[in-house]
Amino acid sequence: AQSVTQLGSHVSVSEGALVLLRCNYSSSVPPYLFWYVQYPNQGLQLLLKYTSAATLVKGINGFEAEFKKSETSFHLTKPSAHMSDAAEYFCADRGQGGKLIFGQGTELSVKP
Amino acid sequence: GAGVSQSPRYKVAKRGQDVALRCDPISGHVSLFWYQQALGQGPEFLTYFQNEAQLDKSGLPSDRFFAERPEGSVSTLKIQRTQQEDSAVYLCASSLVAKRTSTDTQYFGPGTRLTVL
């Protein structure tokens, strides 16, 4: 069955440090991958999406992700963490009919 | 409206009660999705509408769950005889297009947090 795996349910970084959130997918067909961010008591907001146009995808708030087919990965990075980046991050793949299949989520904490 | 809205934002129900959760999608959006997000988990698909047609309800966990979108805009998710395991955040999302291969963005509402006592 199609699935998305996020390694690490919790990641903690210092302000100004590199952010790396890991995501692996299992789809056997070309995937369409998404990263969403969820702040407390809010809905999900799209950070970026991969649609096969380019392997390096730039999103909002300085985030970017690189699609690597050989590794079935779509890791999210940001060169310098900001306190406002603290939130829950979800990786998702598009399933049949357009529904999203989400990973378990990674909570990002940013230390001052 | 400017975004997807959901009501109520919070709902407390006693076990066995029926509840109805409302979703107002972005005006003109054809596709509407419902997801269930348990505490500490990622959202899981429940059901999908294209206009008023419910094309996929494979994610509904039991026949106590029912969703409708009679006029192709507002949608209601109804849960009958609620159980404690139904406690979760219910998210609604809408997208503009309807193509099965579309990568169109799904825009999410803030969710309804349901607590069943």
Side-chain angles (χ1 to χ4, degrees):
Chain A
Q2 192 174 0
S3 66
V4 174
T5 301
Q6 292 183 239
L7 296 178
S9 59
H10 189 96
V11 171
S12 182
V13 300
S14 297
E15 190 172 21
L18 171 71
V19 176
L20 171 60
L21 304 182
R22 301 177 186 274
C23 172
N24 290 86
Y25 65 92
S26 70
S27 176
S28 59
V29 298
Y32 290 107
L33 301 165
F34 304 80
W35 275 100
Y36 281 85
V37 61
Q38 186 176 37
Y39 297 99
N41 298 317
Q42 295 186 28
L44 282 73
Q45 179 184 5
L46 182 70
L47 281 176
L48 49 81
K49 62 182 179 181
Y50 167 75
T51 60
S52 76
T55 58
L56 184 62
V57 182
K58 294 188 181 299
I60 62 172
N61 302 337
F63 284 93
E64 62 182 35
E66 185 173 9
F67 173 72
K68 292 186 177 180
K69 183 178 179 179
S70 62
E71 299 178 5
T72 61
S73 69
F74 190 57
H75 302 332
L76 182 72
T77 60
K78 182 175 181 178
S80 177
H82 191 272
M83 296 296 291
S84 61
D85 295 327
E88 187 90 19
Y89 291 79
F90 293 95
C91 181
D93 188 6
R94 191 208 65 201
Q96 187 176 12
K99 64 185 176 187
L100 294 176
I101 298 168
F102 287 90
Q104 296 284 75
T106 297
E107 183 181 358
L108 176 65
S109 300
V110 182
K111 299 175 292 185
Chain B
V4 179
S5 61
Q6 293 186 246
S7 61
R9 291 292 313 277
Y10 303 90
K11 176 69 178 178
V12 178
K14 293 182 179 179
R15 189 176 58 178
Q17 282 185 331
D18 298 348
V19 298
L21 312 180
R22 177 187 170 105
C23 172
D24 283 83
I26 295 172
S27 178
H29 276 197
V30 170
S31 297
L32 186 146
F33 300 82
W34 283 98
Y35 296 87
Q36 179 190 58
Q37 186 177 19
L39 187 64
Q41 304 294 317
E44 292 191 353
F45 170 78
L46 292 177
T47 187
Y48 161 61
F49 290 87
Q50 180 178 316
N51 294 309
E52 69 279 2
Q54 188 175 19
L55 299 186
D56 187 348
K57 53 181 181 180
S58 63
L60 296 177
S62 78
D63 59 7
R64 296 186 296 105
F65 287 71
F66 173 77
E68 60 184 5
R69 194 186 185 197
E71 297 179 356
S73 55
V74 171
S75 178
T76 303
L77 176 67
K78 298 179 179 178
I79 308 174
Q80 298 177 324
R81 304 181 304 281
T82 53
Q83 304 295 315
Q84 284 188 325
E85 60 262 29
D86 300 335
S87 295
V89 175
Y90 291 85
L91 296 167
C92 175
S94 70
S95 66
L96 182 60
V97 298
K99 292 181 181 179
R100 292 178 64 87
T101 57
S102 170
T103 58
D104 198 44
T105 298
Q106 290 187 25
Y107 295 89
F108 282 79
T112 295
R113 182 179 298 276
L114 173 64
T115 303
V116 181
L117 303 177

